Amino acid sequence: ASFLAFAFGAFIPLLPLFMHIGNSALGYSLGLTGLALFVIGSMLSLFTNRSAIVSGLRMLLIGAVAGGLTFLIGKFAGVVLN
């Protein structure tokens, strides 16, 4: 179950790329990923008795920091997105 959840989560940012929507695919990917992170964080609030908004924003922030760091590491290593 954990592997399937991980695989599904990893597939979400790739959906716009598979839909062949051109140059705007990156923007759609970022938006869809942000939405998914917020929704998952909000759903976690059902188990933690915290505010759904706070939990969603917390998950979104953690995901944004992780993605930003990954981007910076790739930029530092000389990886280029075309």
Side-chain angles (χ1 to χ4, degrees), residues 15-30:
L15 283 174
L17 301 173
F18 290 131
M19 293 170 28
H20 305 289
I21 54 178
N23 294 334
S24 58
L26 181 59
Y28 282 112
S29 180
L30 291 172

Side-chain angles (χ1 to χ4, degrees), residues 37-59:
L37 286 167
F38 183 82
V39 168
I40 296 294
S42 296
M43 289 172 42
L44 285 175
S45 72
L46 297 172
F47 304 104
T48 62
N49 292 327
R50 293 183 182 161
S51 163
I53 300 293
V54 172
S55 292
L57 290 174
R58 180 178 180 265
M59 181 70 84

